[in-house]
């Protein structure tokens, strides 16, 4: 058998360790599948003093020396973020190296450009681990599902948020306590912004949309709202009507050449396949014109599942090197047309704290009526201090009309506080 394929790895944290462990445990099978061995020859790190699973001779703090090293065949980028990852990946490609990356921000922002660069140099650039950890999502969208017009995709793509919402639902924990538990369990970062404010999901859903629709969705055009305002009370009302609250990324095809891409909490009907995806699990549900409904689910983060996705890409790159099929990346153009959320229609959940006195309900329903918003369900209860709580589920309305009505409702003297607003997925 000829010489091993030489890997230069940038970063050796959670994902790098998982990838390395998989190689050690399954080396024989991996070598057989590729037709050549894999050698993790060099690893670029920031902190040379940290204890590592491999001999120190593998490590260097000079990351640039890896992407320019003529003996390296494939660069595996696992440092995340844009700076210095973007420059290093570009340099690796310019130096003739195939690239495997788990970097969702990099692909969401620069995917189109980098895939074109790889293609122009007959190189592979794979990024399965960037979305959904160990769940195969990118390859099925690029290949097996590629003949479909995707009508709709909806995904739970952030394990940390799903862990928090599941804790809130199952243990009646409030958001702050559930977040602390997620941090203690090692899921949420000290600064949880990327996860709980939907930033991580916006990168992932824009990558999936870009592949499904063949044009890069600018991530800045993705509507985004996180889960910080979700209360246990909302989860309980949702349950009483047969829904679960999940942070979802949603893509709707709008005509033939536009999409609406959004990230926000949604009330999902209890019998929808996404409703039973709990804890740190991720899932993507989609509807294609020929395939119908499809759902993928599994572990969306963590060392071993994400390492498994990186290894899958490495095996693909390795097979292409051995078999001569490199450079078969499927490029997508820049500039997908993204329509604003204002034009999207959905049902809404609205929880109001109101003054408990005559005409309050009448005034609120008058405003809904003015904007042609029809109420589907309602619950009401009295609270201490002459206050009350009124909770509505509306029929479908445009985001624009609902927002206008909400502004007027909020300004009613009888309304003390808008306590919760959540979009609702319709029951089938
Ligand atoms: N922080 C992400 C999550 C995993 O909680 O799902 C990495 O994308």
């Amino acid at each position: 058998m000829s010489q091993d394929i030489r890997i230069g790895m940038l970063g050796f944290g959670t994902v790098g360790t998982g990838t390395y462990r998989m190689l050690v445990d399954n080396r024989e099978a991996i070598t057989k599948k590729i037709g050549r061995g894999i050698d993790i020859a060099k690893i670029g790190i920031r902190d040379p003093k940290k204890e590592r699973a491999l001999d120190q001779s593998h490590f260097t703090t000079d990351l640039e020396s890896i992407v320019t090293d003529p003996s390296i065949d494939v660069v595996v980028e696992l440092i995340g973020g844009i700076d210095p990852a973007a420059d290093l990946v570009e340099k690796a490609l310019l130096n003739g190296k195939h690239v495997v990356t788990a970097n969702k921000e990099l692909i969401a922002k620069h995917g189109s450009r980098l895939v074109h660069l790889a293609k122009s140099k007959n190189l592979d650039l794979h990024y399965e681990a960037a979305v959904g950890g160990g769940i195969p999502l990118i390859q099925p969208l690029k290949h097996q599902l590629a003949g479909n017009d995707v009508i709709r995709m909806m995904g739970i793509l952030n394990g940390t948020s799903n862990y928090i919402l599941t804790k809130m639902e199952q243990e009646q924990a409030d958001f702050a306590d559930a977040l602390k538990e997620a941090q203690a369990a090692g899921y949420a970062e000290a600064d949880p912004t990327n996860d709980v404010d939907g930033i991580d999901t916006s990168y992932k859903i824009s990558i999936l949309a870009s592949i499904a629709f063949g044009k890069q969705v600018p991530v800045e055009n993705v509507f985004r709202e996180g889960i910080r305002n979700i209360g246990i009370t909302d989860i309980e009302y949702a349950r009483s009507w047969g829904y679960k609250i999940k942070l979802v990324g949603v893509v709707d095809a709008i005509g033939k050449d536009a999409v609406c891409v959004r990230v926000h909490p949604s009330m999902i009907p209890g019998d929808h396949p996404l409703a039973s995806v709990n804890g740190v699990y991720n899932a993507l549900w989609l509807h294609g014109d020929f395939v119908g409904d499809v759902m993928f689910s599994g572990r969306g983060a963590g060392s071993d599942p994400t390492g498994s996705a990186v290894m899958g890409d490495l095996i693909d790159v390795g097979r292409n090197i051995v078999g001569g099929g490199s450079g078969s990346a499927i490029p997508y153009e820049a500039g997908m047309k993204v329509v604003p959320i204002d034009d999207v229609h959905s049902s809404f959940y609205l929880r109001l704290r109101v003054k408990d006195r005559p005409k309050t309900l009448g005034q609120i329903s008058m405003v809904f009526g003015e904007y042609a918003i029809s109420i589907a369900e309602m619950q009401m209860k009295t609270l201490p201090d002459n206050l009350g709580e009124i909770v509505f589920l509306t029929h479908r309305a445009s985001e624009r009309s609902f927002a206008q009505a909400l502004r007027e409702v909020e300004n009613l003297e009888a309304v003390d506080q808008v306590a919760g607003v959540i979009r609702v997925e319709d029951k089938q």
Side-chain angles (χ1 to χ4, degrees), residues 208-240:
L208 296 176
S210 302
I211 296 167
F213 293 88
K215 273 192 175 176
Q216 179 144 2
V217 168
V219 75
E220 61 275 13
N221 294 350
V222 175
F223 173 87
R224 179 167 60 76
E225 190 182 290
I227 60 166
R228 288 185 202 258
N229 293 330
I230 303 292
I232 311 173
T233 315
D234 301 311
I235 290 177
E236 286 305 318
Y237 277 115
R239 192 204 307 265
S240 75

Side-chain angles (χ1 to χ4, degrees), residues 15 102 104 129-133 157-162 187-189 194-195 200-201 204 280 282 300-302 306:
V15 181
K104 60 219 149 191
V131 186
L157 299 170
N158 183 263
T160 305
S161 302
N162 206 38
Y187 299 125
E189 315 260 341
N194 264 346
D195 291 321
D200 178 77
T201 303
K204 292 168 175 171
V280 289
N282 280 194
T306 316

Side-chain angles (χ1 to χ4, degrees), residues 402-424:
F402 184 80
Q404 285 166 340
L406 185 61
R407 259 197 303 276
E408 278 197 32
V409 165
E410 205 168 7
N411 286 332
L412 288 173
E413 211 268 316
V415 172
D416 190 59
Q417 189 199 17
V418 174
V421 179
I422 303 171
R423 292 163 188 85
V424 180

Side-chain angles (χ1 to χ4, degrees), residues 305-345:
T306 316
S308 153
V310 170
M311 187 53 72
D313 279 352
L314 270 176
I315 291 172
D316 222 13
V317 173
R319 283 171 170 157
N320 288 341
I321 291 173
V322 173
S326 299
S328 54
I330 296 138
Y332 45 92
E333 302 308 313
M336 182 71 197
K337 189 173 166 209
V338 180
V339 303
I341 193 170
D342 298 13
D343 296 320
V344 168
H345 283 67

